[in-house]
Amino acid sequence: MKHILSYCLFVFWVLVVADSQSQNKQLRAYTLEDGLPQSQVYAMTFDTKGYLWLGTQGGGLARFDGSDFKVFNKTHGLASNYIQAIKGSNDTLYLGTQKGLSIKIKDVFHNLNCPQVNEILKFGNTVFLPTNKGLYKLSKGVSVEKIQLHNDINNSQINDLVFDGNYYWLATNKGLWKLSTLDSEAKTIEQLDYNDYIDLAILGAKIFASTFNNGTLVIENQNFEDAYLIRKPLRINSISIQNSNQLWFATDNEGISVVDTETYQELFTIKNTNGLSTSHVREVLSDQQGNIWIGTSGEGLYKYFQNSFKHYNTNTGLNGNRIYAVHHNKSGLWVSNSEAGLMRIDQMGIHNVELPEAFSQVKIKTITSDKNGNIWAGSDGKGLLFKGKVLLDSIVIDTLKKSKKRLSIERIKTKVLNTESGFPFDLIRTIHTESDTIWAATYSSGIVKFSYNPKLDNLTVFRTYSSLEGVEDVYIRDMVKDDNNRLWYATQNGHLGYLKGNRITHLGLVLDQDISINSVVFQNNTIFLGTAGNGIWWSNDANFSVFKKLKGTKALSSENSYQLIFDNQGYLWTGSERGVDKIELSKDIEINDVFFFGRNDGFLGIETCLNAVDKDNKGHLWFGAIKGLTEYRPTNTSLNPKKPKVFLEDVKVAYKSIDTINLSVWSNSDKVLRLNPNQRQVSFSFKSIDVDHPNGIEYRYKLNDSDWSPWSTSNTQNFSELNYGAHEFIAQSRNYRWIESDSTLFSFYIEKPLLKKTWFQWLLIGVGVLILIFLIVQYIKRLKNKNIKEQERLQLENHLLTLEQKALRLQMNPHFIFNVLNGIKAMAPTKPEKMNDTVNSFATLLRETLVNSRKDKIGLDQEIKTLKHYIEVERLMTEEPFDYDIVLNTDLDVEEILIPPMLIQPFVENAIRHGILKGPRKGELKVQFDTIEETLKVTIEDNGIGIYNSQQQKPKTDHQSMALKVTRERLESISGKGTLEIKELKQKDGTIEGTTIVFKIPLETDY
C-alpha cells in the first residue's frame, strides 16, 4: 500500500512539475517602462467599458486599455495615492484609499472621509465599505455612515464581506463572523473563529475563508463544525475563484498557488521559479478572454496566459515515448506505444492492453473502433488486430423446474487478420469503419473493403481497390469520410481521390506538384490537406478541383503538416516537427492568427507523428509525438469572443469638450443636444476596449443616412460646416475576430439663423401672400366691375336670341293652324262629331305646344305625347286615313330623357303632308327612338312619294320648307354639321316607296 501511495505521489509530483514547466513564457510583465505609475499594484477591476483599473501604493490610479496607461492621482483630485480597493459600477468608480472613499464620476473625484477602506462591495443598491475600524456604507451617494454591529466587530479591521443568500460572513483581524442581517439587531451574530482572516470567496455552497498565516477554511452548507482546513499556502494576501473551479491564492512569499476546489490539492504554482519576478502577489483578476491579471508588490502587473497542456511519457506510466497512433472511444483513449503495443488511458489511469504473440513487437500505425466499440489496429507488417467483446450463448439446466434457460456470456475476443488468416495484406496505413463494413488502406496496395463477424470468426473480403479500379497512386497516407458519404484518400505522391459506392473518382495531382499529402480533414464542406514541406491547402468549390494554399497575416511555424484536426472552438490545429500550431481562420479561410506551442510552451512531445491525433468527448485534443503523448485541454477562451462594446469617449463642439452631459446616458437615447447656429463644427471620439488585442480594433462611422465609412483604426472624426437641422452620428467597432459591436448613436440639432428658420420664412411668405392677395383683390374688383357690364350686355343679347328662337318656334305653326281651322270649318255642316274630336285634339295640341315652347328641354315622354296629339289631328283632317307607330328602344326611363321641344314635329308634319297624303298607297308612318351609348337616334319613316318629288311640287315659299330649314339649323347647332340624314326608299326596280329621315342628338338625362 505504501508503494502504491508513493507511486501516486510521484506521478502527481511529475504532473505538477510538467505543468509548471509547460507554463514557461506564459507571463507578460507591465512595468514602469510601459507607463505603470508605480510597481505595487494592490487592487484591480474591469469596468463596463472594458478598461482595466489598477490601484497602486503611492502612484494613484491607472487605467489600462491593453496598450497604454492613463494615470490619475492627487493632482487630479484623488484624496490619496494609496489605493487598497476598487469597485466599478456602470460609469462610476469607487476607490478605497488610506483616507476613505473616493468616487470617480467621469473625470471628477468626490472624496468622502472615513477609515482606510479595505474592500468595496455592492449588495443590491447599497455600497458597503469594510474598513480598519468597522463596517461602513455609502448613504445616498453623498456620505458614508458606520453600521453598528457587535462591539467586537465595530472595533475590528474588516478585510472582506460576502453574502451566501442567507448569511453575511465577515473576515476580520479578530476572527470570522456570521450574521443574519447587517445590523445590531440581527437574530444570528456568531464569532466562528478568532484568527486573523484576510479574504473570503464563495463557490456554490462552499465558503472559503483564508487567514493570513493559519491556512484556509472550507465551510460547506454553512456548517462550520465540519469545515475542512487547507493548511497551505500561508501568508495569504487574497483569494479568488478562477476558471470556474480553481481557488487562486495570492501570497506575499510564495507567489500564486492554485488549488482544486473539489480535491483541495495544489494544481500548480506561479512564482519566481517559473517566470514571476517576485513572490509577493497582492491581487488576481481574470478577463473575458480567460487571461489572469496579477498585481504584485514591487514588480508591477502581469498577464498570465494559462497553459492547457498535459504531457504523458515513460515517466508517467507509458511503456514508450514514441506515439504512432491515437484514438478515443467510450472506453478511453487508445494509443500505440513505440513497438511496445497498445495502452488505454481512462479516469482510472494508464492501462496496458494485452496483445497476442502474433501482434507483439510491431509498430501500430492506426487505431479506430467500430459501432460496437471494438478496437481495430493496423500494423506495419503484421496485418490487422481486432479486439472486442463477443456475446456467446450458454445453456444452464435448472434441476428443480426441469427446464433449460439460455444465458448470454460476454467474452473478450482478440483476433489477428493477416495474410496467414486470409486477409490480403499485412502493411496497414489507416482504417475506416462504418456500420459492419471496414476499409483498410495499405501502404502500397490500395484499399481493402471487408467485414468481420467475431462471433462466427468469419472474414469476408468484398473488394480491393487498386490501380486496376482507378486508384492511380496506391501509396495512401490518410483516409477520411465526408458528409456526402465519400471516402477520401490522399497519397504519398500528392494524389487525391474518393470512393463512393463501389466507384473510384481519382482527382490526381490536385496541388499540381509531386508532394506527399500527409493528412486530410473536412470542416463546413471545406477540405484541408496537410502536406510534407508545402504547408496546408484547402478547397470548397463544388468539385474540389481548385485548391488554394492557406495564407494570412501570420505564417505557420513549419511547412510540414503531419497532423490536422479542428477543435470544438473552430481552431485548426496542425502538428509538425517543431510542435503544434493553433490556427485561427477568418470567414474567408485566411489565417487571422497562429498560436505556436513548442517545448517552452508546454508541448513537450516536440515532433508529432503522422496522423496520431484525435479529439475526445470533452473536446480535449490528444497529440502523439516522438517524445510522448500530449493532452490539450481548451480553456474558457472562445474562438468568437464576446461582442465588443463601442462607446463615445468625447464630443467636442467648436473644438471644446462638452462636460455638461453624460455621454453614456445620452448615447442611444431620445436626448438631443441642441447647438446654436454658430456651432457647426462637431467632432467625436469613440472607442472599444480589448486589453488582449488592443491593436485589433477597427472602427467605422456614418452621419445621418449616408453610407458607412471604410473600416479603420482611427477612432476620431471631425465634421465642419454642418447643415442646419437634425443630425445623427453613428459609430461601430469590430474586434480582431471581425465581430461587430452594436452601433452607438448620438443625436444633435443645429439651430438655424433667424432668416433660415422655417417659421420666419413662413412669416415672410405670409406677409408677401397678404400683399399679393390685396393686389389680386383690387384687380378682381376692377375685373368684376368690367365683367358685370359685359355680363349685362351678354344677358341682353342672350335674351334677344332667346326671343328670336321662340319666335322661330312659333313661325313653324301658323300654316298648320290655318289648315286645321279651315278643316274644322268644312266639317261643321256635314261632320259635326268629327269636328268636335278635331277641335278637342287641336286644343290639347295647342296647349302642349304653348307650354313646351317656354322650355329649353322637355322629357321624351312629353315629346311623344305631343307628337301623338299632332298625328291624331292630322288623321282627323285627312280624307284618307293612315297608320302610324311610335317605337322606343331604350333601357332608360323616357321621363328622364331630355330633348329640345318642337324638334321632331316638323319632320313628322313633312312626312304626313308631303309624303303620305300625296302617295298612291295607304299611308304608313313610323317614328323610332334609339339610345345608342351617349346619343339619342331619331328615325322618321314614311311610304309617301319621296322627299325629292315632294319638293318639286311645293312652292318655294312653302312654310314647311322654312320649318325644315330652321330645324336643320337647330340640329347642327346641337349636334354639328352632317348630323341630319335624309334618303328615299326605293324598290329593286327603282320605284320610290318612301322617305327616311335620321338624326342624332346628344343624350341628356334628368339625373
Side-chain angles (χ1 to χ4, degrees):
M1 182 70 181
K2 291 183 178 179
H3 293 296
I4 296 175
L5 179 60
S6 299
Y7 178 76
C8 292
L9 291 174
F10 171 75
V11 170
F12 177 75
W13 178 84
V14 169
L15 293 177
V16 170
V17 171
D19 279 342
S20 64
Q21 289 176 348
S22 68
Q23 292 155 10
N24 289 341
K25 297 186 179 179
Q26 298 299 292
L27 290 166
R28 164 73 192 276
Y30 296 89
T31 64
L32 301 178
E33 296 179 355
D34 299 298
L36 192 66
Q38 214 270 346
S39 61
Q40 297 183 79
V41 179
Y42 271 42
M44 297 185 295
T45 191
F46 281 98
D47 66 13
T48 55
K49 294 177 180 177
Y51 285 112
L52 174 61
W53 293 88
L54 309 171
T56 69
Q57 292 296 293
L61 178 68
R63 188 188 72 183
F64 185 52
D65 64 1
S67 179
D68 300 312
F69 291 91
K70 184 176 181 179
V71 179
F72 303 86
N73 50 38
K74 292 179 68 174
T75 61
H76 299 90
L78 188 62
S80 172
N81 288 335
Y82 291 83
I83 300 173
Q84 313 293 129
I86 303 178
K87 177 72 174 179
S89 178
N90 296 325
D91 290 332
T92 302
L93 197 66
Y94 300 95
L95 307 170
T97 73
Q98 288 183 342
K99 293 186 177 182
L101 178 68
S102 293
I103 304 174
K104 181 180 180 295
I105 302 175
K106 297 188 70 173
D107 287 336
V108 178
F109 290 92
H110 304 273
N111 300 309
L112 305 175
N113 291 326
C114 67
Q116 176 180 308
V117 177
N118 299 317
E119 188 61 84
I120 302 172
L121 304 134
K122 191 173 184 181
F123 299 129
N125 295 320
T126 305
V127 176
F128 293 92
L129 309 171
T131 74
N132 279 353
K133 294 182 179 180
L135 182 64
Y136 285 73
K137 70 176 181 179
L138 183 63
S139 176
K140 299 179 181 179
V142 295
S143 64
V144 292
E145 62 181 47
K146 189 170 185 176
I147 301 175
Q148 297 298 326
L149 302 172
H150 191 278
N151 287 334
D152 290 342
I153 300 175
N154 295 337
N155 298 321
S156 298
Q157 174 182 319
I158 302 179
N159 295 315
D160 200 7
L161 167 67
V162 297
F163 179 60
D164 64 6
N166 296 308
Y167 295 97
Y168 293 92
W169 301 75
L170 275 74
T172 76
N173 64 336
K174 296 181 180 180
L176 178 65
W177 293 77
K178 182 173 80 170
L179 293 84
S180 56
T181 57
L182 291 177
D183 56 62
S184 59
E185 303 297 327
K187 292 182 179 179
T188 301
I189 301 180
E190 295 183 42
Q191 187 174 10
L192 304 176
D193 194 28
Y194 294 91
N195 284 306
D196 181 8
Y197 280 86
I198 296 297
D199 208 1
L200 301 169
I202 292 182
L203 180 63
K206 295 181 179 180
I207 294 176
F208 299 89
S210 292
T211 66
F212 179 71
N213 210 27
N214 292 287
T216 299
L217 284 178
V218 183
I219 306 168
E220 192 164 3
N221 296 320
Q222 304 167 0
N223 187 358
F224 179 77
E225 294 182 357
D226 294 332
Y228 179 86
L229 176 63
I230 303 176
R231 298 185 179 276
K232 290 185 178 181
L234 303 178
R235 301 188 65 82
I236 298 169
N237 289 322
S238 66
I239 61 174
S240 61
I241 304 295
Q242 308 294 342
N243 300 329
S244 301
N245 61 353
Q246 295 177 350
L247 182 62
W248 286 54
F249 294 88
T251 72
D252 71 351
N253 64 339
E254 292 294 333
I256 295 173
S257 176
V258 180
V259 173
D260 188 281
T261 55
E262 295 294 332
T263 64
Y264 311 129
Q265 298 294 322
E266 187 177 67
L267 300 175
F268 58 90
T269 61
I270 305 172
K271 50 188 177 181
N272 53 10
T273 58
N274 52 14
L276 201 62
S277 298
T278 179
S279 294
H280 190 165
V281 178
R282 299 297 307 186
E283 189 81 12
V284 173
L285 181 69
S286 62
D287 62 21
Q288 293 182 350
Q289 285 75 33
N291 302 309
I292 305 294
W293 296 84
I294 303 170
T296 72
S297 179
E299 292 297 334
L301 176 69
Y302 284 84
K303 182 170 70 171
Y304 171 67
F305 301 88
Q306 296 186 72
N307 193 318
S308 300
F309 291 101
K310 185 176 181 180
H311 190 65
Y312 300 82
N313 54 22
T314 54
N315 294 328
T316 56
L318 296 182
N319 292 334
N321 283 335
R322 190 178 292 267
I323 307 299
Y324 289 119
V326 178
H327 174 69
H328 181 271
N329 67 2
K330 293 181 180 179
S331 62
L333 185 80
W334 297 75
V335 297
S336 68
N337 224 185
S338 299
E339 287 78 29
L342 286 176
M343 304 199 78
R344 180 172 58 85
I345 303 174
D346 57 19
Q347 294 180 349
M348 302 302 295
I350 301 175
H351 313 277
N352 285 316
V353 178
E354 184 178 354
L355 298 178
E357 183 66 26
F359 215 75
S360 62
Q361 299 299 315
V362 65
K363 295 179 181 179
I364 299 175
K365 290 299 187 73
T366 181
I367 308 172
T368 190
S369 56
D370 59 25
K371 67 174 184 177
N372 298 316
N374 302 315
I375 291 296
W376 288 89
S379 71
D380 188 1
K382 292 189 178 181
L384 288 164
L385 170 71
F386 170 85
K387 191 172 187 64
K389 298 177 180 179
V390 179
L391 293 177
L392 301 177
D393 293 332
S394 62
I395 298 175
V396 178
I397 300 175
D398 191 333
T399 57
L400 296 176
K401 296 182 179 180
K402 297 182 180 181
S403 62
K404 295 181 180 179
K405 185 177 182 181
R406 187 177 298 276
L407 299 175
S408 296
I409 299 177
E410 186 178 78
R411 293 183 179 178
I412 302 298
K413 182 177 181 63
T414 302
K415 175 72 173 182
V416 176
L417 303 177
N418 52 25
T419 51
E420 295 179 1
S421 58
F423 196 77
F425 308 107
D426 290 332
L427 292 169
I428 308 300
R429 173 64 263 178
T430 183
I431 308 170
H432 178 79
T433 65
E434 185 174 344
S435 187
D436 295 326
T437 305
I438 303 170
W439 289 266
T442 68
Y443 276 86
S444 59
S445 303
I447 302 171
V448 180
K449 179 181 179 182
F450 68 98
S451 68
Y452 175 68
N453 188 329
K455 186 175 182 179
L456 302 177
D457 193 21
N458 180 41
L459 170 68
T460 302
V461 177
F462 297 116
R463 191 170 180 179
T464 298
Y465 299 91
S466 60
S467 56
L468 294 177
E469 285 74 23
V471 184
E472 296 179 14
D473 183 11
V474 293
Y475 294 89
I476 296 173
R477 304 284 272 182
D478 196 12
M479 188 168 61
V480 65
K481 206 157 196 176
D482 66 10
D483 294 335
N484 295 316
N485 204 32
R486 294 177 292 192
L487 183 64
W488 290 81
Y489 59 87
T491 75
Q492 179 177 320
N493 298 314
H495 289 245
L496 185 69
Y498 62 84
L499 169 64
K500 186 172 184 180
N502 288 318
R503 181 182 176 183
I504 291 288
T505 301
H506 195 81
L507 302 180
L509 291 170
V510 293
L511 305 183
D512 296 327
Q513 49 189 316
D514 186 2
I515 190 168
S516 177
I517 300 176
N518 291 329
S519 52
V520 182
V521 68
F522 276 88
Q523 179 83 341
N524 298 329
N525 295 319
T526 302
I527 187 173
F528 293 85
L529 308 178
T531 69
N534 201 14
I536 301 172
W537 295 70
W538 63 274
S539 176
N540 60 3
D541 67 300
N543 299 317
F544 299 101
S545 57
V546 178
F547 279 80
K548 300 177 183 178
K549 189 172 183 180
L550 186 61
K551 297 180 180 179
T553 55
K554 289 187 178 181
L556 302 178
S557 63
S558 172
E559 290 289 282
N560 290 312
S561 179
Y562 299 152
Q563 302 170 345
L564 283 179
I565 193 170
F566 276 91
D567 65 15
N568 289 346
Q569 287 74 39
Y571 289 97
L572 174 63
W573 292 75
T574 177
S576 68
E577 79 282 2
R578 299 185 59 197
V580 291
D581 283 337
K582 178 182 176 182
I583 307 168
E584 177 194 332
L585 298 176
S586 71
K587 59 183 179 180
D588 299 320
I589 314 182
E590 294 181 349
I591 299 175
N592 271 349
D593 209 346
V594 175
F595 305 92
F596 169 70
F597 302 95
R599 171 177 283 275
N600 292 332
D601 305 294
F603 193 84
L604 305 181
I606 310 298
E607 182 176 351
T608 57
C609 293
L610 187 64
N611 292 323
V613 63
D614 203 2
K615 180 170 60 178
D616 64 21
N617 54 7
K618 295 180 180 179
H620 297 184
L621 302 184
W622 295 83
F623 299 94
I626 63 173
K627 292 190 177 182
L629 174 69
T630 299
E631 176 189 10
Y632 171 75
R633 300 179 178 182
T635 63
N636 293 331
T637 304
S638 173
L639 173 65
N640 294 321
K642 291 184 177 180
K643 182 187 295 184
K645 297 179 181 179
V646 64
F647 60 91
L648 287 178
E649 198 172 34
D650 191 16
V651 176
K652 293 181 179 179
V653 176
Y655 306 102
K656 292 183 180 180
S657 296
I658 299 178
D659 298 325
T660 57
I661 64 173
N662 188 334
L663 293 177
S664 62
V665 174
W666 282 59
S667 299
N668 297 318
S669 71
D670 296 332
K671 297 179 180 294
V672 178
L673 178 65
R674 293 196 168 271
L675 306 176
N676 63 50
N678 297 323
Q679 295 176 317
R680 298 174 62 189
Q681 185 280 330
V682 183
S683 62
F684 297 90
S685 296
F686 36 92
K687 193 159 187 173
S688 283
I689 304 301
D690 185 345
V691 294
D692 207 27
H693 298 87
N695 298 321
I697 299 292
E698 292 182 329
Y699 305 90
R700 66 177 182 175
Y701 65 89
K702 66 177 179 176
L703 187 67
N704 303 325
D705 294 329
S706 61
D707 294 333
W708 284 103
S709 68
W711 288 104
S712 165
T713 56
S714 175
N715 65 334
T716 59
Q717 180 57 35
N718 178 60
F719 299 98
S720 59
E721 298 300 320
L722 287 169
N723 294 329
Y724 304 108
H727 295 281
E728 289 183 345
F729 176 78
I730 305 171
Q732 191 179 27
S733 68
R734 68 181 183 187
N735 62 16
Y736 71 109
R737 305 291 187 198
W738 286 22
I739 299 176
E740 297 178 2
S741 71
D742 294 328
S743 59
T744 185
L745 180 146
F746 186 84
S747 301
F748 60 101
Y749 187 91
I750 303 176
E751 295 286 349
K752 296 179 181 179
L754 183 61
L755 290 176
K756 294 190 176 182
K757 286 183 180 291
T758 303
W759 67 266
F760 186 75
Q761 291 176 345
W762 278 109
L763 178 62
L764 292 179
I765 292 172
V767 172
V769 169
L770 289 176
I771 294 173
L772 181 61
I773 290 174
F774 176 76
L775 296 175
I776 291 174
V777 168
Q778 294 301 316
Y779 174 77
I780 290 173
K781 284 183 178 180
R782 293 195 300 269
L783 189 61
K784 189 175 181 180
N785 292 332
K786 182 179 179 181
N787 288 339
I788 289 173
K789 293 180 180 179
E790 182 67 19
Q791 187 176 7
E792 291 175 351
R793 185 183 65 82
L794 292 175
Q795 286 179 348
L796 180 59
E797 291 181 358
N798 186 53
H799 182 63
L800 294 174
L801 289 173
T802 302
L803 293 176
E804 181 181 353
Q805 184 179 22
K806 291 182 177 180
L808 286 173
R809 293 176 193 166
L810 294 175
Q811 288 176 5
M812 291 186 278
N813 299 321
H815 185 68
F816 167 70
I817 295 171
F818 177 76
N819 289 337
V820 173
L821 291 176
N822 285 335
I824 292 172
K825 181 180 179 181
M827 294 177 191
T830 58
K831 301 177 181 178
E833 294 180 359
K834 186 176 181 180
M835 179 190 71
N836 289 335
D837 293 338
T838 303
V839 170
N840 291 335
S841 296
F842 181 59
T844 301
L845 175 62
L846 286 178
R847 184 171 62 254
E848 291 176 348
T849 301
L850 289 173
V851 172
N852 293 342
S853 65
R854 291 185 176 91
K855 300 178 181 178
D856 293 329
K857 299 288 176 63
I858 62 172
L860 182 58
D861 60 326
Q862 184 61 42
E863 179 70 7
I864 293 173
K865 183 178 179 182
T866 303
L867 283 176
K868 287 182 178 180
H869 288 142
Y870 167 73
I871 295 172
E872 288 297 331
V873 171
E874 290 286 5
R875 290 182 65 190
L876 291 172
M877 291 178 57
T878 57
E879 296 293 337
E880 299 178 4
F882 63 89
D883 296 330
Y884 75 95
D885 186 17
I886 297 177
V887 180
L888 185 63
N889 294 326
T890 180
D891 294 331
L892 301 175
D893 191 347
V894 293
E895 295 179 357
E896 301 292 337
I897 301 175
L898 301 178
I899 65 171
M902 299 296 292
L903 188 63
I904 302 172
Q905 186 271 340
F907 297 111
V908 174
E909 181 180 352
N910 187 73
I912 294 173
R913 291 191 170 274
H914 302 288
I916 293 174
L917 298 181
K918 296 181 180 181
R921 300 174 294 274
K922 181 179 180 181
E924 292 180 0
L925 175 65
K926 181 180 180 182
V927 180
Q928 182 171 327
F929 297 91
D930 298 278
T931 54
I932 303 173
E933 295 180 352
E934 300 298 326
T935 61
L936 176 63
K937 179 181 177 183
V938 182
T939 306
I940 300 125
E941 184 177 319
D942 66 71
N943 62 346
I945 62 172
I947 190 169
Y948 299 113
N949 288 333
S950 175
Q951 287 177 348
Q952 291 176 2
Q953 297 176 10
K954 290 190 298 180
K956 294 182 180 181
T957 58
D958 185 75
H959 170 79
Q960 191 63 27
S961 296
M962 280 299 293
L964 286 176
K965 182 178 180 182
V966 172
T967 303
R968 181 189 294 270
E969 291 176 356
R970 289 182 69 196
L971 281 175
E972 290 179 352
S973 65
I974 295 172
S975 302
K977 292 184 177 182
T979 188
L980 181 63
E981 181 181 349
I982 303 175
K983 64 180 180 179
E984 292 182 335
L985 300 177
K986 296 182 180 180
Q987 295 182 356
K988 292 182 180 181
D989 58 358
T991 305
I992 302 300
E993 63 175 7
T995 303
T996 299
I997 298 175
V998 180
F999 63 86
K1000 296 178 182 178
I1001 61 174
L1003 179 63
E1004 293 187 45
T1005 59
D1006 192 19
Y1007 57 86

